[in-house]
Amino acid sequence: MRIVHYINQFYAGLGGEEKADTKPEKRDGFVGPGMALNAALGGAGEIVGTVICGDSYFNENIEEVSKEVLEMIRSFSPDIVVVGPGFNAGRYGMACGAVAKIVDEELKIPVVGGLYEENPGLEIYKRHGYFVATGNNAATMRTAMPAMAAIVKKLIAGEAITEGYVEKGLRVNYFAKTRGSRRAVDMLLAKIKGEEFVTEYPMPVFDRVDPQPAIKDMSKARIALVSSGGPVPKGNPDRIESSSASKFGKYSLKDITDFTADNGETAHGGYDPVYANEDLDRVLPVDVIKELVAAGKIGSLHDFWYSTVGNGTSVANSKQFAKEIAEELQRDDVNCVILTST
Amino acid sequence: MVKEIERHGIPVVHMCTVVPISLTVGANRILPTVAIPYPLGNPALPPAEEKELRRGLVERALVALTTEVDGQTVFED
């Protein structure tokens, strides 16, 4: 069986964030983590080719790059495609998912991957592949790769895959012993009696917030700036972590009208910091906002900006940060927020 | 974070480059930006032009905040 592996620039050994804009390329055989996968397959299958792309390049051009990567994958005539594992890396997870989608839709062959449960790429693309639930960082490679290899082996052997991956959310037909009406009445009776029952059609849970009404008159509104891109004063005084942040920072805007290389930087470890460190207005547009306030186009600006880094940060932490930030904004009668993400 | 702040009654415009992620996390007003390492800039431009680009994006963000929406809305060009 012929397997093609998709990985990012980091796992290919090309480099870190400074190489995140690498364009797609292909190589024969395995590269990086593919070696362990190949070994785990024990000759039942072989990685015949590896396709590599930089995470930023992929995410900034998802549709075009997906097609380009697809053609590279197709050129190896694979039977199975493996993506990642991408753990909790946001951009890598999105890339793994997008590759799974286009392979599933265009080549109609199985895809196996590995992502952390909170990775947005998993939520968006899980129906397009068998994604193993991994830990949130590469330290769990030792368990992730064997779990992925186990699914690949079953696919090679032609066995049904019934466990070991994140539910795809697809319905599978089967013959039930009793008809639908009977099962529904049984469930209803169980519910009335207060007994346990298992629904056959779980409702999806959407945690959505209704949009707040629009601002009527921006020239009278008070605005605040918040960012998950890690903009902090030069020196990162609160030592906000470069990933998996445990806190957010609150910083005064009083004396800043324009960011320069001397007064601001980013704490974020999930993208190339060169551009933000040169001019942090590229992440938090303080220069423009202050001018718009001075020109009367915005009523006023909250005295502080709030910052954390979004990469690898748990949903629970993010919620807690935002709750504390929102309560401060309410106390200062802020009417609206610009939130920037990288 | 976008969702939690909006839950407290404050409208938020999310300025970001990877729009599918913003849609997944539940932002209601989304303004696509330039690139991941420089959402509100472009180092290839001369400083004055770069600032104009940023001003344009921020002004569009203000328009998004003053526009009523009844669900998730991406404010394209």
Side-chain angles (χ1 to χ4, degrees):
Chain A
M1 286 278 194
R2 298 170 65 83
I3 297 161
V4 172
H5 192 197
Y6 175 84
I7 56 175
N8 71 359
Q9 85 286 350
F10 176 75
Y11 286 98
L14 296 176
E17 289 306 331
E18 76 286 3
K19 293 287 181 189
D21 58 352
T22 300
K23 292 182 179 173
E25 59 184 81
K26 61 176 182 178
R27 297 200 203 152
D28 290 332
F30 59 76
V31 176
M35 183 196 264
L37 177 62
N38 222 33
L41 294 178
E46 188 194 356
I47 298 180
V48 293
T50 303
V51 177
I52 300 154
C53 184
D55 285 334
S56 286
Y57 188 80
F58 197 114
N59 278 272
E60 287 166 4
N61 316 276
I62 292 177
E63 283 192 21
E64 300 77 7
V65 180
S66 291
K67 287 180 196 148
E68 215 176 317
V69 166
L70 174 70
E71 291 317 313
M72 290 183 182
I73 291 173
R74 196 200 299 268
S75 72
F76 290 109
S77 309
D79 301 301
I80 297 169
V81 171
V82 174
V83 295
F87 307 105
N88 198 20
R91 290 164 305 161
Y92 192 18
M94 287 294 288
C96 287
V99 171
K101 176 171 189 270
I102 200 161
V103 167
D104 177 36
E105 290 177 347
E106 301 292 329
L107 300 184
K108 301 184 173 32
I109 57 173
V111 180
V112 179
L115 291 173
Y116 181 61
E117 58 179 351
E118 288 187 0
N119 196 316
L122 183 64
E123 180 61 33
I124 297 174
Y125 296 111
K126 63 185 175 188
R127 64 180 299 151
H128 296 289
Y130 298 100
F131 283 96
V132 168
T134 69
N136 72 349
N137 63 59
T140 60
M141 182 71 89
R142 273 187 309 154
T143 52
M145 218 27 135
M148 288 163 63
I151 291 185
V152 174
K153 278 186 182 168
K154 281 188 184 172
L155 286 168
I156 293 171
E159 292 173 31
I161 317 289
T162 53
E163 57 182 7
Y165 66 98
V166 178
E167 211 171 89
K168 290 182 179 185
L170 299 177
R171 272 184 272 174
V172 180
N173 290 327
Y174 75 104
F175 287 101
K177 289 198 182 103
T178 54
R179 54 154 75 162
S181 54
R182 176 65 195 255
R183 301 202 304 278
V185 170
D186 285 347
M187 259 190 262
L188 179 61
L189 290 175
K191 184 173 183 176
I192 290 169
K193 285 188 211 157
E195 292 171 1
E196 293 271 318
F197 68 95
V198 179
T199 177
E200 294 181 16
Y201 191 64
M203 291 293 124
V205 182
F206 291 114
D207 180 23
R208 289 285 182 252
V209 175
D210 288 338
Q212 290 297 321
I215 299 299
K216 296 273 178 290
D217 183 354
M218 190 54 75
S219 70
K220 294 192 173 67
R222 189 158 175 77
I223 202 165
L225 296 174
V226 181
S227 181
S228 67
V232 292
K234 185 86 178 169
N236 188 9
D238 293 328
R239 294 180 178 263
I240 293 178
E241 299 90 340
S242 61
S243 76
S244 304
S246 66
K247 57 194 155 196
F248 66 90
K250 173 186 178 184
Y251 305 106
S252 174
L253 281 166
K254 253 189 188 139
D255 301 322
I256 300 174
T257 51
D258 184 17
F259 280 119
T260 65
D262 298 321
N263 63 359
E265 67 181 41
T266 180
H268 202 293
Y271 63 91
D272 187 346
V274 169
Y275 313 102
N277 290 348
E278 266 173 19
D279 181 358
L280 198 56
D281 293 307
R282 288 167 177 157
V283 175
L284 200 74
V286 170
D287 58 347
V288 166
I289 289 283
K290 287 245 171 165
E291 286 180 11
L292 290 170
V293 172
K297 292 196 175 166
I298 300 173
S300 61
L301 175 63
H302 180 62
D303 287 337
F304 301 90
W305 90 86
Y306 300 85
S307 172
T308 190
V309 310
N311 63 319
T313 299
S314 71
V315 173
N317 272 359
S318 306
K319 273 191 177 177
Q320 184 57 33
F321 300 163
K323 182 170 175 286
E324 291 173 35
I325 292 169
E327 285 166 1
E328 289 213 13
L329 299 181
Q330 284 174 323
R331 279 197 288 278
D332 191 43
D333 294 322
V334 168
N335 305 111
C336 54
V337 166
I338 288 180
L339 195 151
T340 64
S341 290
T342 47
Chain B
M1 290 180 83
V2 177
K3 200 163 56 188
E4 290 308 309
I5 293 173
E6 190 129 338
R7 211 191 287 281
H8 282 72
I10 304 170
V12 180
V13 57
H14 192 202
M15 303 186 78
C16 62
T17 302
V18 190
V19 172
I21 293 186
S22 182
L23 286 167
T24 306
V25 301
N28 286 318
R29 292 178 172 87
I30 302 168
L31 194 91
T33 51
V34 180
I36 292 164
Y38 40 87
L40 288 147
N42 183 351
L45 296 175
E49 280 178 44
E50 188 183 13
K51 193 167 173 185
E52 270 318 298
L53 167 80
R54 178 156 56 246
R55 188 190 316 277
L57 284 166
V58 170
E59 283 176 348
R60 285 172 50 209
L62 300 181
V63 169
L65 284 168
T66 51
T67 304
E68 297 291 354
V69 297
D70 48 13
Q72 291 193 296
T73 307
V74 180
F75 290 81
E76 302 283 0
D77 288 335

